[in-house]
Amino acid sequence: KDFIEFDEYLESLAQREKIPFTKNIIRTEMNVLSIPIPTLRNIAKEICKGGYISFLDNIVFSYYESTIVFGEVFCHIKDFDVLKKYLYVLCDVADNWSTCDTLKFKIDSKNAQQFYNLSLVFVKDERTFARRIGLIILFKLVNQEEYLDKIFDIITSLKDEQEYYVNMAVAWLLQVCFVKNRDKTFEY
């Protein structure tokens, strides 16, 4: 019942005139409501104030927007193992670049190695958008000097990648490396 109400709420926020444009840009097979990302982030913040684990455990991905809210909610979880559980769920349903790119991981010196190890698993995954998520994780590690060469190694390992959305993430990651550490990236 809660998720019927959740879907009805999302439907009430739909910008129906923008749905064809959004669907074309995002290239998802999921139903789209064309709700702005800031609105979805606000919904996620409200969910985080309550029983967010119940939300995560019972969500039905009726819409692309559901994946964004789901990602926003689990990215607030501090326990790495719990966060990882829900990230795997998202990898199973992600079918577009936006679901991956809106993830805002909170990576610091305490959990950086865990996230790095997880990114290694994802960049080797057979699913395109799981690989993209693995690369998105690395964006947060670019500022940590000890990971830069490892990031370059991952980029090199993907040199024969055939998937457009993975290649675009690789190019974007390399650009961020260049901005954050020009000399070392230029040398690479």
PDB file of all heavy atoms in Angstrom, residues 72-73 75-78 80 83 103-109 111-112 115 140:
ATOM      1  N   GLU A  72      19.616   7.946  -3.800  1.00  0.00           N
ATOM      2  CA  GLU A  72      19.801   9.067  -2.869  1.00  0.00           C
ATOM      3  C   GLU A  72      19.649   8.604  -1.423  1.00  0.00           C
ATOM      4  O   GLU A  72      20.385   9.048  -0.551  1.00  0.00           O
ATOM      5  CB  GLU A  72      18.788  10.179  -3.161  1.00  0.00           C
ATOM      6  CG  GLU A  72      19.064  10.962  -4.410  1.00  0.00           C
ATOM      7  CD  GLU A  72      20.233  11.910  -4.276  1.00  0.00           C
ATOM      8  OE1 GLU A  72      20.467  12.473  -3.185  1.00  0.00           O
ATOM      9  OE2 GLU A  72      20.934  12.092  -5.293  1.00  0.00           O
ATOM     10  N   VAL A  73      18.707   7.723  -1.181  1.00  0.00           N
ATOM     11  CA  VAL A  73      18.471   7.251   0.184  1.00  0.00           C
ATOM     12  C   VAL A  73      19.627   6.381   0.654  1.00  0.00           C
ATOM     13  O   VAL A  73      20.208   6.619   1.716  1.00  0.00           O
ATOM     14  CB  VAL A  73      17.119   6.506   0.309  1.00  0.00           C
ATOM     15  CG1 VAL A  73      16.993   5.820   1.657  1.00  0.00           C
ATOM     16  CG2 VAL A  73      15.957   7.482   0.098  1.00  0.00           C
ATOM     17  N   CYS A  75      22.665   6.176  -0.312  1.00  0.00           N
ATOM     18  CA  CYS A  75      23.962   6.875  -0.233  1.00  0.00           C
ATOM     19  C   CYS A  75      24.136   7.612   1.097  1.00  0.00           C
ATOM     20  O   CYS A  75      25.243   8.007   1.443  1.00  0.00           O
ATOM     21  CB  CYS A  75      24.139   7.821  -1.418  1.00  0.00           C
ATOM     22  SG  CYS A  75      24.736   6.971  -2.897  1.00  0.00           S
ATOM     23  N   HIS A  76      23.068   7.791   1.855  1.00  0.00           N
ATOM     24  CA  HIS A  76      23.159   8.418   3.177  1.00  0.00           C
ATOM     25  C   HIS A  76      23.551   7.426   4.275  1.00  0.00           C
ATOM     26  O   HIS A  76      23.838   7.827   5.395  1.00  0.00           O
ATOM     27  CB  HIS A  76      21.829   9.085   3.545  1.00  0.00           C
ATOM     28  CG  HIS A  76      21.597  10.355   2.804  1.00  0.00           C
ATOM     29  ND1 HIS A  76      20.974  10.397   1.582  1.00  0.00           N
ATOM     30  CD2 HIS A  76      21.920  11.628   3.100  1.00  0.00           C
ATOM     31  CE1 HIS A  76      20.920  11.644   1.164  1.00  0.00           C
ATOM     32  NE2 HIS A  76      21.489  12.418   2.068  1.00  0.00           N
ATOM     33  N   ILE A  77      23.554   6.150   3.958  1.00  0.00           N
ATOM     34  CA  ILE A  77      23.861   5.128   4.953  1.00  0.00           C
ATOM     35  C   ILE A  77      25.359   5.128   5.239  1.00  0.00           C
ATOM     36  O   ILE A  77      26.174   5.082   4.318  1.00  0.00           O
ATOM     37  CB  ILE A  77      23.392   3.734   4.461  1.00  0.00           C
ATOM     38  CG1 ILE A  77      21.873   3.723   4.315  1.00  0.00           C
ATOM     39  CG2 ILE A  77      23.867   2.637   5.404  1.00  0.00           C
ATOM     40  CD1 ILE A  77      21.320   2.468   3.672  1.00  0.00           C
ATOM     41  N   LYS A  78      25.720   5.184   6.506  1.00  0.00           N
ATOM     42  CA  LYS A  78      27.137   5.234   6.891  1.00  0.00           C
ATOM     43  C   LYS A  78      27.775   3.858   6.973  1.00  0.00           C
ATOM     44  O   LYS A  78      28.970   3.709   6.737  1.00  0.00           O
ATOM     45  CB  LYS A  78      27.271   5.969   8.219  1.00  0.00           C
ATOM     46  CG  LYS A  78      26.930   7.429   8.085  1.00  0.00           C
ATOM     47  CD  LYS A  78      27.127   8.186   9.367  1.00  0.00           C
ATOM     48  CE  LYS A  78      26.941   9.633   9.045  1.00  0.00           C
ATOM     49  NZ  LYS A  78      26.193  10.440   9.778  1.00  0.00           N
ATOM     50  N   PHE A  80      29.076   0.752   5.671  1.00  0.00           N
ATOM     51  CA  PHE A  80      29.472   0.393   4.312  1.00  0.00           C
ATOM     52  C   PHE A  80      28.796  -0.886   3.829  1.00  0.00           C
ATOM     53  O   PHE A  80      28.336  -0.962   2.687  1.00  0.00           O
ATOM     54  CB  PHE A  80      30.994   0.252   4.209  1.00  0.00           C
ATOM     55  CG  PHE A  80      31.451  -0.153   2.844  1.00  0.00           C
ATOM     56  CD1 PHE A  80      31.538   0.795   1.834  1.00  0.00           C
ATOM     57  CD2 PHE A  80      31.764  -1.468   2.552  1.00  0.00           C
ATOM     58  CE1 PHE A  80      31.934   0.430   0.551  1.00  0.00           C
ATOM     59  CE2 PHE A  80      32.162  -1.840   1.274  1.00  0.00           C
ATOM     60  CZ  PHE A  80      32.250  -0.886   0.278  1.00  0.00           C
ATOM     61  N   LEU A  83      25.179  -0.178   2.954  1.00  0.00           N
ATOM     62  CA  LEU A  83      25.145   0.607   1.724  1.00  0.00           C
ATOM     63  C   LEU A  83      25.423  -0.299   0.521  1.00  0.00           C
ATOM     64  O   LEU A  83      24.721  -0.247  -0.493  1.00  0.00           O
ATOM     65  CB  LEU A  83      26.174   1.738   1.793  1.00  0.00           C
ATOM     66  CG  LEU A  83      26.248   2.645   0.575  1.00  0.00           C
ATOM     67  CD1 LEU A  83      26.550   4.067   1.007  1.00  0.00           C
ATOM     68  CD2 LEU A  83      27.303   2.179  -0.405  1.00  0.00           C
ATOM     69  N   LEU A 103      24.466   9.247  -8.187  1.00  0.00           N
ATOM     70  CA  LEU A 103      24.888   8.682  -6.898  1.00  0.00           C
ATOM     71  C   LEU A 103      25.928   9.587  -6.247  1.00  0.00           C
ATOM     72  O   LEU A 103      26.881   9.999  -6.890  1.00  0.00           O
ATOM     73  CB  LEU A 103      25.457   7.270  -7.096  1.00  0.00           C
ATOM     74  CG  LEU A 103      24.463   6.226  -7.574  1.00  0.00           C
ATOM     75  CD1 LEU A 103      25.181   4.933  -7.926  1.00  0.00           C
ATOM     76  CD2 LEU A 103      23.382   5.973  -6.535  1.00  0.00           C
ATOM     77  N   LYS A 104      25.727   9.881  -4.995  1.00  0.00           N
ATOM     78  CA  LYS A 104      26.629  10.775  -4.254  1.00  0.00           C
ATOM     79  C   LYS A 104      27.220  10.006  -3.083  1.00  0.00           C
ATOM     80  O   LYS A 104      26.721  10.078  -1.963  1.00  0.00           O
ATOM     81  CB  LYS A 104      25.862  11.994  -3.762  1.00  0.00           C
ATOM     82  CG  LYS A 104      25.227  12.786  -4.869  1.00  0.00           C
ATOM     83  CD  LYS A 104      25.648  14.213  -4.778  1.00  0.00           C
ATOM     84  CE  LYS A 104      24.990  15.043  -5.838  1.00  0.00           C
ATOM     85  NZ  LYS A 104      25.784  15.244  -6.982  1.00  0.00           N
ATOM     86  N   PHE A 105      28.279   9.278  -3.364  1.00  0.00           N
ATOM     87  CA  PHE A 105      28.926   8.490  -2.322  1.00  0.00           C
ATOM     88  C   PHE A 105      29.702   9.388  -1.368  1.00  0.00           C
ATOM     89  O   PHE A 105      30.367  10.326  -1.796  1.00  0.00           O
ATOM     90  CB  PHE A 105      29.886   7.477  -2.949  1.00  0.00           C
ATOM     91  CG  PHE A 105      29.205   6.486  -3.844  1.00  0.00           C
ATOM     92  CD1 PHE A 105      29.346   6.556  -5.223  1.00  0.00           C
ATOM     93  CD2 PHE A 105      28.411   5.486  -3.317  1.00  0.00           C
ATOM     94  CE1 PHE A 105      28.725   5.643  -6.047  1.00  0.00           C
ATOM     95  CE2 PHE A 105      27.778   4.565  -4.132  1.00  0.00           C
ATOM     96  CZ  PHE A 105      27.938   4.649  -5.504  1.00  0.00           C
ATOM     97  N   LYS A 106      29.615   9.081  -0.091  1.00  0.00           N
ATOM     98  CA  LYS A 106      30.382   9.805   0.928  1.00  0.00           C
ATOM     99  C   LYS A 106      31.610   8.956   1.242  1.00  0.00           C
ATOM    100  O   LYS A 106      31.560   8.038   2.053  1.00  0.00           O
ATOM    101  CB  LYS A 106      29.520  10.044   2.155  1.00  0.00           C
ATOM    102  CG  LYS A 106      28.397  11.036   1.875  1.00  0.00           C
ATOM    103  CD  LYS A 106      27.523  11.238   3.096  1.00  0.00           C
ATOM    104  CE  LYS A 106      26.535  12.333   2.916  1.00  0.00           C
ATOM    105  NZ  LYS A 106      25.472  12.140   2.018  1.00  0.00           N
ATOM    106  N   ILE A 107      32.696   9.278   0.564  1.00  0.00           N
ATOM    107  CA  ILE A 107      33.925   8.508   0.701  1.00  0.00           C
ATOM    108  C   ILE A 107      34.945   9.365   1.429  1.00  0.00           C
ATOM    109  O   ILE A 107      35.190  10.520   1.067  1.00  0.00           O
ATOM    110  CB  ILE A 107      34.460   8.067  -0.680  1.00  0.00           C
ATOM    111  CG1 ILE A 107      33.403   7.218  -1.393  1.00  0.00           C
ATOM    112  CG2 ILE A 107      35.772   7.317  -0.530  1.00  0.00           C
ATOM    113  CD1 ILE A 107      33.767   6.800  -2.803  1.00  0.00           C
ATOM    114  N   ASP A 108      35.527   8.781   2.465  1.00  0.00           N
ATOM    115  CA  ASP A 108      36.574   9.457   3.220  1.00  0.00           C
ATOM    116  C   ASP A 108      37.713   8.480   3.471  1.00  0.00           C
ATOM    117  O   ASP A 108      37.695   7.350   2.986  1.00  0.00           O
ATOM    118  CB  ASP A 108      36.021  10.047   4.527  1.00  0.00           C
ATOM    119  CG  ASP A 108      35.359   9.001   5.409  1.00  0.00           C
ATOM    120  OD1 ASP A 108      35.784   7.824   5.403  1.00  0.00           O
ATOM    121  OD2 ASP A 108      34.403   9.350   6.121  1.00  0.00           O
ATOM    122  N   SER A 109      38.697   8.900   4.243  1.00  0.00           N
ATOM    123  CA  SER A 109      39.866   8.049   4.485  1.00  0.00           C
ATOM    124  C   SER A 109      39.515   6.753   5.209  1.00  0.00           C
ATOM    125  O   SER A 109      40.208   5.750   5.065  1.00  0.00           O
ATOM    126  CB  SER A 109      40.938   8.822   5.264  1.00  0.00           C
ATOM    127  OG  SER A 109      40.413   9.247   6.506  1.00  0.00           O
ATOM    128  N   ASN A 111      36.749   4.849   4.749  1.00  0.00           N
ATOM    129  CA  ASN A 111      36.086   3.845   3.918  1.00  0.00           C
ATOM    130  C   ASN A 111      36.609   3.817   2.478  1.00  0.00           C
ATOM    131  O   ASN A 111      36.083   3.080   1.647  1.00  0.00           O
ATOM    132  CB  ASN A 111      34.568   4.046   3.935  1.00  0.00           C
ATOM    133  CG  ASN A 111      34.139   5.378   3.356  1.00  0.00           C
ATOM    134  OD1 ASN A 111      34.904   6.084   2.718  1.00  0.00           O
ATOM    135  ND2 ASN A 111      32.887   5.740   3.582  1.00  0.00           N
ATOM    136  N   ALA A 112      37.618   4.600   2.183  1.00  0.00           N
ATOM    137  CA  ALA A 112      38.119   4.710   0.810  1.00  0.00           C
ATOM    138  C   ALA A 112      38.559   3.358   0.250  1.00  0.00           C
ATOM    139  O   ALA A 112      38.229   3.025  -0.899  1.00  0.00           O
ATOM    140  CB  ALA A 112      39.271   5.713   0.739  1.00  0.00           C
ATOM    141  N   PHE A 115      35.559   1.239  -0.690  1.00  0.00           N
ATOM    142  CA  PHE A 115      34.936   1.700  -1.924  1.00  0.00           C
ATOM    143  C   PHE A 115      35.808   1.369  -3.132  1.00  0.00           C
ATOM    144  O   PHE A 115      35.302   0.976  -4.187  1.00  0.00           O
ATOM    145  CB  PHE A 115      34.640   3.203  -1.864  1.00  0.00           C
ATOM    146  CG  PHE A 115      33.299   3.522  -1.291  1.00  0.00           C
ATOM    147  CD1 PHE A 115      33.184   3.994   0.007  1.00  0.00           C
ATOM    148  CD2 PHE A 115      32.141   3.366  -2.030  1.00  0.00           C
ATOM    149  CE1 PHE A 115      31.943   4.304   0.545  1.00  0.00           C
ATOM    150  CE2 PHE A 115      30.892   3.665  -1.502  1.00  0.00           C
ATOM    151  CZ  PHE A 115      30.799   4.140  -0.214  1.00  0.00           C
ATOM    152  N   LYS A 140      35.389   9.925  -6.588  1.00  0.00           N
ATOM    153  CA  LYS A 140      35.597  10.405  -5.221  1.00  0.00           C
ATOM    154  C   LYS A 140      36.991  10.069  -4.697  1.00  0.00           C
ATOM    155  O   LYS A 140      37.369  10.537  -3.635  1.00  0.00           O
ATOM    156  CB  LYS A 140      34.546   9.798  -4.278  1.00  0.00           C
ATOM    157  CG  LYS A 140      33.160  10.316  -4.534  1.00  0.00           C
ATOM    158  CD  LYS A 140      33.053  11.744  -4.088  1.00  0.00           C
ATOM    159  CE  LYS A 140      31.619  12.183  -4.052  1.00  0.00           C
ATOM    160  NZ  LYS A 140      31.426  13.451  -3.421  1.00  0.00           N
TER     161      LYS A 140
END
